[in-house]
């Protein structure tokens, strides 16, 4: 071997040596006999360096995994002998190999096993056991090999993709069950018996193997007195009990007869209880308790599965016995659920959830069951509480884990509500009222969880459209009392971010309370507007409050009239556009300010003021933006520093975004004109459009103005039209692919909304837009540049979407008036999109366009020369597209494309009549060498009155097509019987 290259295997080697080692490994992988050199090195123990040994195993692994079939029988025998020789040597070595080498060796053994066990090495396990015996080093390797085999053959976490591999694994397990599993189980028992008191590491390894294999072997081999007694003994040994717990968990999880499962679980529980394991409070080892909690959860869930099976089978007596067994576990479950360690608690939630699901199915609950429900409820309420160590300002991994744990508890609370909503409501009310009476002296976590429980009731006991305060009197009364307490208690002033946020979240969730008791609105508004909300010291609270404030105002806008100008005055400083040069730190980010602007717009538009007053207020809101915009734009034009240009452009973009956001307040009923606000938005347009001619930062500026134009088309309607030509001219100048992609939807919106009104403009902009698109599509890019290829694909889709909008809006004259040469060019791009590009979304759009054009121009009085185009190009496209090898009918979008292809063909027939049928029968289909009977079938299907018949026929035609050697489909046959079946089905 290349000794110099091997030096690079050392982790401390320099980059050149490491690169040489990697190249050497690649060289050995493709070599025909390099693996033999590595096999010899391992068998004869030529190298003492651990990294070289590992390297040799890697070369062997590659040979076995990818090129084993290329080896002769003698060479395969050599690999087997090498492995056995290496294994024998491990019994004699002065020191055991490093763990990473043993694991790699076990992996190589497992690969040989899956390749040879069913054929040339049926005595794989017996050969290994005969070598290792009960030698501790040998046993270690034997157990590692078993775990590696589990990973290759059984492990459900490893995805075995090919079906052939899955079948092989099933056959391996079946053969092992028949030939060697009892012997393996016996070997495990001997290992446990030999080493349980002297070698905890080997014992734990063996328990892990049993746990892995028990899911698919005969359970009676393990679930018997000698094994269970030994495992229960291990539960009392500190170094073994965690692995013993996991092993028992796998045993109880094994599928079996429900009555037998109940007996097994009960016998385990009795022994565990008598051994003192149910006394949770006396156990200090949280790692063991986490495993034990998982075991109890597994036992509980197994019993619930048994109960479900027994109920379904009608064996009610056994089901009742199993239910008693389930309920006897509840006291232990509650101890684990309430444990201060969240991992221990989390592990038992599954059983609690499924137990409550059983109770939900029962008609009447016993007093004992009601007590269980209440106990689980109280445990959940307690466990929802934050720890004092929770870092609210800088949440890390521990905090994220608690948030996830809380989500689990919420699901449990929802299930409790389904079992007994009255009990949940009463319990929450008791906790809530008790805490808020003394909130000033209560710890923050108790106050937060009390409000949180009220918040969670909204989902746990849902109401249609949030109508919690009508209907069920008891529920409405309880919620109303709690909400009244929340907003009058002064708890919004509690000095902790978690309590503050929970207060605002709850107020917004139950906004309909304020329609019942609007007297409380001023107090809540003040909480939003002062240091408790939008001016809170925490950026996190301020940010979240802006969103919640916006929601609160929008949902209660009918009750806001008395406060409009006061609110606008109080938020004035929060509306300021902060230019980058003043260095002043704003309270809110630009994203937060969007919500404030939207809120301001909602307040103005929905107020009861006359239109004149609304217009003044809106102008007061937007004029400062326009003034700042003008100043900043002038600075940007002369700014030379690129970084500062970006900052200025972002600020300008924010200004446009804020103005745009205020327009979201206008609904269909409340138009801009009725509010007298058209003028101010037209002024905004006048102010913002000059930025389109700015020579720098075009992408940012154009994006903002484009979004504003989208909004103004909705709000100003035809008043925006005079601005569109100038805006379009600038946006098409020096544009990039993404600029065009985002500009086309704007043109589509204008076309679809105004139709004939914009026909002159469209006719003028049509070819410049197309030229810009075509230029982008033919622009060269790197062959492997996936991003550029995707950009072009999306631009092509946008182009076809534009043509679809034009034709679908009855504006075909826009295309027709472009001159014969341009019209022809456009038509050929549509044919190309339908046939040549393997993009089913674009193909579908192209066939929709073709159908529309045939409908508009395909008749006797249609566009001159179009009938020839139909027969020469559109009809062939309807056949060529589905015949492409890339036209995959297993893809849903492709099926839709084929459906539109059928519509196109049907439209041609409807417009051209018998002439179309004659062309197909006498010219086109014979040119494809289609059999006469198939031609007859095709034309029959095409002439059926119900369009579904032809759609289904065409789908069957191409699904059942044959494929020639080149991969191209050809129309050779269709099942006639199937055709007539479809005909009959739709008639």
């Amino acid at each position: 071997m290349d000794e110099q290259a091997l030096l690079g295997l050392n982790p401390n080697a320099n980059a050149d040596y490491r690169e040489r080692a990697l190249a050497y490994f690649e060289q050995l992988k493709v070599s025909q006999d390099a693996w033999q050199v590595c096999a010899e090195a391992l068998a004869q123990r030529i190298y003492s360096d651990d990294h070289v040994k590992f390297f040799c195993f890697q070369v062997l692994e590659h040979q076995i995994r990818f090129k084993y079939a290329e080896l002769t029988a003698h060479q395969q025998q050599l690999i087997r002998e090498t492995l056995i020789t290496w294994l024998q040597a491990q019994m004699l070595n002065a020191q055991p190999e490093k763990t990473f080498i043993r694991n790699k060796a076990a992996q190589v053994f497992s690969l040989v096993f899956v390749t040879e066990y069913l054929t040339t090495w049926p005595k794989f396990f017996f050969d290994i056991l005969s070598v290792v015996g009960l030698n501790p080093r040998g046993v270690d390797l034997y157990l590692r090999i078993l775990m590696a085999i589990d990973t290759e053959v059984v492990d459900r976490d490893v995805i075995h993709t090919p079906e052939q591999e899955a079948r092989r694994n099933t056959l391996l397990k079946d053969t092992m069950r028949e030939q060697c599993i009892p012997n393996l189980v016996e070997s495990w028992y001997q290992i446990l018996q030999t080493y349980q008191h002297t070698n905890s590491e080997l014992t734990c390894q063996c328990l892990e193997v049993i746990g892995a294999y028990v899911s698919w072997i005969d359970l009676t081999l393990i679930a018997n007195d000698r094994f269970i007694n030994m495992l229960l003994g291990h539960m009392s040994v500190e170094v073994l009990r965690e692995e013993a717990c996991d092993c028992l968990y796998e045993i109880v999880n094994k599928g079996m007869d429900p009555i037998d499962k109940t007996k097994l679980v009960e016998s385990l529980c009795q022994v565990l209880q008598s051994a003192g394991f149910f006394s949770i409070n006396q156990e200090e080892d949280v790692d063991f308790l986490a495993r034990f909690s998982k075991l109890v959860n597994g036992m509980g869930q197994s019993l619930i599965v048994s109960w479900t099976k027994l109920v379904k089978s009608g064996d009610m007596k056994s089901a009742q016995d199993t239910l008693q067994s389930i309920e006897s576990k509840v006291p232990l479950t509650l101890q684990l659920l309430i444990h201060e360690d969240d991992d221990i608690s989390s592990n038992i939630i599954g059983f609690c959830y499924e137990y409550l699901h059983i109770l939900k199915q029962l008609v009447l609950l016993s007093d004992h069951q009601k007590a269980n429900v209440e106990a689980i409820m109280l445990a959940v309420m307690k466990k929802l509480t934050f720890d004092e160590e929770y870092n609210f300002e800088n949440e890390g991994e521990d905090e994220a884990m608690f948030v996830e744990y809380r989500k689990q508890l919420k699901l449990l609370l929802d299930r409790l509500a389904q079992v007994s909503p009255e009990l949940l409501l009463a319990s929450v009310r008791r906790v809530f009222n008790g805490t808020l009476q003394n909130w000033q002296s209560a710890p923050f976590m108790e106050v937060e969880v009390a409000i949180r429980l009220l918040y969670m009731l909204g989902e746990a006991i849902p109401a249609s459209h949030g109508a919690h305060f009508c209907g069920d009197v008891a529920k409405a009364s309880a919620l109303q009392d709690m909400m009244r307490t929340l907003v009058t208690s002064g708890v919004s002033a509690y000095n902790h971010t978690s309590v503050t946020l929970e207060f605002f979240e709850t107020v917004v969730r139950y906004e309909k309370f304020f329609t019942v008791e609007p007297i409380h609105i001023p107090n809540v508004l003040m909480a939003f507007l002062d240091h408790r909300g939008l001016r809170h010291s925490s950026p996190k609270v301020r940010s979240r409050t802006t969103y919640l404030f916006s929601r609160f105002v929008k949902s209660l806008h009918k009750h806001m009239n008395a406060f409009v100008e006061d609110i606008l005055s109080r938020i004035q400083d929060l509306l300021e556009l902060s230019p980058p040069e003043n260095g002043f730190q704003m309270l809110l980010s630009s994203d937060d300010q969007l919500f404030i602007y939207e809120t301001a717009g909602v307040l103005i538009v929905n107020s009861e003021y006359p239109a004149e007053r609304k217009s003044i207020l809106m102008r007061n809101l937007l004029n400062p933006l326009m003034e700042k915009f003008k100043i900043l734009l002038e600075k940007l034009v002369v700014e030379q520093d690129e970084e500062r240009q970006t900052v200025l452009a972002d600020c300008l973009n924010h200004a446009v975004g804020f103005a745009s956001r205020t327009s979201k307040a206008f609904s269909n009923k409340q138009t801009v004109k009725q509010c007298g606000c058209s003028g101010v938005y037209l002024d905004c347009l006048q102010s913002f459009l000059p930025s389109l001619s700015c020579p720098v930062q075009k992408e940012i500026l154009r994006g903002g103005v484009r979004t504003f134009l989208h909004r103004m088309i909705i709000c100003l309607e035809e008043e925006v039209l005079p601005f569109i030509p100038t805006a379009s001219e600038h946006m098409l100048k020096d544009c990039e692919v993404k600029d065009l992609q985002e500009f086309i939807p704007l043109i589509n919106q204008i076309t679809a909304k105004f139709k004939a009104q914009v026909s002159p403009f469209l006719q003028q902009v049509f070819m410049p837009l197309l030229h810009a698109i075509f230029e982008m599509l033919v622009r060269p890019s790197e062959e492997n540049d996936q991003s550029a290829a995707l950009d072009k694909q999306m631009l092509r889709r946008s182009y076809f979407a534009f043509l679809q909008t034009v034709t679908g809006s009855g504006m075909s004259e826009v295309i027709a008036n472009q001159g014969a040469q341009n019209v022809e060019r456009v038509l050929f791009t549509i044919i190309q999109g339908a046939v040549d590009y393997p993009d089913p979304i674009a193909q579908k759009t192209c066939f929709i366009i073709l159908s529309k054009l045939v409908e508009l121009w395909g008749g006797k009085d249609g566009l001159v020369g179009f009938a020839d185009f139909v027969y020469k190009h559109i009809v062939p496209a309807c056949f060529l597209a589905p015949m492409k090898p890339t036209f995959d009918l297993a893809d849903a979008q492709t099926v839709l494309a084929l459906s539109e292809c059928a519509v196109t063909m049907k439209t041609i027939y409807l417009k051209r009549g018998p002439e179309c049928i004659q062309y197909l029968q006498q010219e086109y289909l014979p040119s494809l060498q289609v059999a006469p009977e198939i031609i007859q079938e095709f034309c029959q299907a095409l002439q059926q009155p119900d369009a579904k018949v032809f759609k289904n026929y065409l789908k069957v035609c191409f699904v059942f097509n044959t494929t020639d050697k080149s991969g191209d489909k050809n129309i050779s046959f269709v099942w006639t019987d199937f055709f007539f079946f479809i005909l009959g089905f739709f008639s």
Side-chain angles (χ1 to χ4, degrees), residues 43 76-86 88 121:
Q76 291 176 355
Q77 176 65 24
L78 178 61
I79 287 181
R80 292 195 292 274
E81 288 173 359
T82 297
L83 292 177
I84 292 296
T85 303
W86 180 85
Q88 289 167 335
W121 202 358

Side-chain angles (χ1 to χ4, degrees), residues 153-183:
V153 178
V154 184
D155 194 341
R156 290 178 179 83
D157 293 332
V158 177
I159 300 169
H160 300 286
T161 41
E163 196 176 322
Q164 185 180 355
E165 193 177 313
R167 283 201 301 270
R168 178 207 70 188
N169 291 347
T170 301
L171 188 57
L172 281 168
K173 288 187 286 186
D174 289 343
T175 308
M176 285 176 69
R177 278 188 281 253
E178 288 174 18
Q179 295 181 358
C180 67
I181 286 297
N183 300 84

Side-chain angles (χ1 to χ4, degrees), residues 23-140:
Y24 185 50
F25 180 54
E26 293 301 319
Q27 179 189 332
L28 293 183
K29 283 200 300 189
V30 297
S31 168
Q32 292 296 315
D33 54 2
W35 66 270
Q36 295 186 52
V37 178
C38 293
E40 185 183 357
L42 288 169
Q44 297 184 15
R45 292 183 280 173
I46 293 172
Y47 295 99
S48 58
D49 187 290
D50 293 330
H51 299 288
V52 177
K53 294 177 197 173
F54 186 82
F55 177 80
C56 290
F57 273 119
Q58 278 186 303
V59 174
L60 268 186
E61 177 197 359
H62 185 270
Q63 181 70 34
I64 297 164
R65 193 182 288 279
F66 299 108
K67 300 198 292 184
Y68 202 64
E70 299 172 13
L71 301 180
T72 65
H74 174 71
Q75 289 173 320
Q76 291 176 355
Q77 176 65 24
L78 178 61
I79 287 181
R80 292 195 292 274
E81 288 173 359
T82 297
L83 292 177
I84 292 296
T85 303
W86 180 85
L87 189 61
Q88 289 167 335
Q90 303 315 300
M91 312 298 112
L92 306 172
N93 283 355
Q95 292 293 326
E97 296 285 10
K98 294 279 177 27
T99 302
F100 69 92
I101 296 176
R102 283 179 276 161
N103 285 338
K104 179 55 72 176
Q107 188 183 8
V108 172
F109 270 96
S110 73
L111 290 174
V112 173
F113 167 79
V114 297
T115 309
E116 297 213 330
Y117 180 65
L118 296 172
T119 52
T120 51
W121 202 358
K123 293 193 174 183
F124 176 87
F125 292 109
F126 298 100
D127 289 350
I128 289 174
L129 282 169
S130 66
V131 171
V132 303
L134 286 171
N135 179 296
R137 289 186 199 166
V139 168
D140 172 83

